[in-house]
Amino acid sequence: MTKRVTKAIFPVAGLGTRFLPATKSIPKEIMTLVDRPLIQYAIDEARAAGIKEFIFVTSRGKSALEDYFDHSPELESALRAKGKDDLLKVLDSTNMDSGAIAYLRQHKALGLGHAVWCARRLLADEPFAVILPDDVIAAETPCLQQMVEAHAETGGNMVAAMEVPAEKASAYGVLDIREDMGTVVSVKGMVEKPPMDEAPSNLAVIGRYILTPNIMQNLHQIKTGAGGEVQLTDAIAQEIETSGNVFGFRFRGQRFDCGSKAGFLQATVAFGLARAELRDEFSQYLGEMVATRNAAQ
């Protein structure tokens, strides 16, 4: 019987240089889509999937991220005194129970694989999730919840995957498919950023993983790969060779790459229009802006 996934690793040690100068003083993960920081979307998705223990791999300059999940007695008291119960309820979703969240430091920027490996001592002999907050996914059923439900049937290692145009495959890790079972595919290989004419499929890996404890053993043995970093892809590829228990999962939803400026802006528009209290005014503004721009051209 497959063990339930109850722990998740959040690699948040990056410097966020693509968003300078904003990230000079605040962690990228605190930047907001509408009125919620990126990390809150990731936490909410993990909670919906049944995650109980949250492991953050951080670095220097991330204290604001840690403070975000702490209680704020002064703010809570002020809201309570003013009878703002609706805001108190919103604030409550940002609080984490004592002991539910752990912070680890990645002292050197040695890649995603190394960041995951840093959490090895907090994981027992059980599968665990990895969530990259840069990838924000709008879905009726949260992406990780979909994966956890599928993983209960397949076991092994699972990566979230989405179909991309052939000309964009070179920006992703791409799956080489052994057997296509619809929502789930059995994987016989992973190719990192292949040239367009060499991609084995159009299924690209994005930032959601469910991994077995063997991945930590593989990461411990792997030497630095591309870019002088420890690649998580290499550790997963090793499992394909030794165990053949790697699956791709076609999730239902729309993924936004909030690690890029264009993706962040696209997500802001999409999430803004999804909010009932903002939709009418915001869509009217967007329509007027497009009309004005077309007239000017």
Side-chain angles (χ1 to χ4, degrees):
M1 182 177 178
T2 303
K3 292 183 178 178
R4 186 75 178 177
V5 182
T6 61
K7 297 182 180 182
I9 299 172
F10 300 80
V12 290
L15 297 176
T17 52
R18 284 187 285 182
F19 285 90
L20 284 170
T23 48
K24 177 183 178 181
S25 60
I26 62 170
K28 177 182 60 179
E29 298 79 16
I30 295 296
M31 294 177 63
T32 57
L33 285 179
V34 189
D35 54 5
R36 296 163 62 200
L38 292 177
I39 195 62
Q40 185 68 54
Y41 289 92
I43 286 290
D44 290 345
E45 182 178 331
R47 284 171 166 163
I51 298 299
K52 303 298 182 186
E53 297 183 47
F54 307 79
I55 304 167
F56 285 72
V57 182
T58 70
S59 59
R60 287 175 57 85
K62 299 284 185 171
S63 58
L65 179 63
E66 299 179 18
D67 290 342
Y68 175 78
F69 290 109
D70 204 349
H71 284 264
S72 178
E74 298 85 356
L75 178 57
E76 292 171 11
S77 179
L79 292 175
R80 194 171 292 110
K82 295 179 180 180
K84 296 186 176 181
D85 295 337
D86 53 338
L87 292 180
L88 276 169
K89 189 174 182 179
V90 170
L91 199 62
D92 186 60
S93 68
T94 70
N95 297 333
M96 301 289 282
D97 294 335
S98 296
I101 192 165
Y103 299 97
L104 301 169
R105 285 286 182 96
Q106 183 185 24
H107 296 300
K108 295 182 179 179
L110 295 178
L112 175 58
H114 181 262
V116 170
W117 180 79
C118 286
R120 64 198 181 281
R121 292 190 177 91
L122 296 182
L123 299 170
D125 185 23
E126 59 189 314
F128 60 93
V130 176
I131 300 179
L132 306 188
D134 278 358
D135 282 338
V136 177
I137 300 172
E140 185 174 342
T141 300
C143 178
L144 188 62
Q145 182 180 343
Q146 297 176 41
M147 293 178 68
V148 166
E149 292 170 357
H151 182 263
E153 301 295 327
T154 65
N157 301 276
M158 181 173 285
V159 299
M162 68 178 190
E163 296 180 349
V164 299
E167 63 272 16
K168 293 187 177 181
S170 60
Y172 298 90
V174 177
L175 300 180
D176 191 356
I177 299 170
R178 175 183 289 115
E179 181 182 2
D180 192 331
M181 298 167 280
T183 301
V184 175
V185 301
S186 176
V187 177
K188 66 178 180 180
M190 296 177 66
V191 182
E192 190 66 27
K193 298 181 178 179
M196 182 175 66
D197 57 350
E198 296 179 16
S201 75
N202 69 336
L203 268 185
V205 177
I206 61 102
R208 301 291 186 275
Y209 307 81
I210 297 176
L211 303 173
T212 65
N214 285 346
I215 292 294
M216 287 297 183
Q217 299 174 23
N218 297 346
L219 288 170
H220 188 71
Q221 298 167 1
I222 288 173
K223 297 181 180 179
T224 55
E229 298 181 339
V230 178
Q231 301 293 336
L232 182 60
T233 300
D234 292 343
I236 297 173
Q238 191 170 331
E239 280 299 285
I240 297 173
E241 293 180 8
T242 59
S243 302
N245 63 351
V246 177
F247 301 91
F249 180 80
R250 290 185 175 100
F251 62 92
R252 301 178 302 278
Q254 184 177 6
R255 173 254 189 180
F256 297 92
D257 177 13
C258 290
S260 72
K261 293 176 184 176
F264 194 96
L265 290 171
Q266 291 163 11
T268 299
V269 172
F271 280 82
L273 291 174
R275 295 277 288 268
E277 74 276 21
L278 300 175
R279 186 181 302 123
D280 291 345
E281 183 179 354
F282 192 28
S283 60
Q284 180 181 346
Y285 168 74
L286 291 175
E288 291 172 350
M289 183 179 66
V290 170
T292 300
R293 185 171 180 177
N294 289 341
Q297 293 176 344

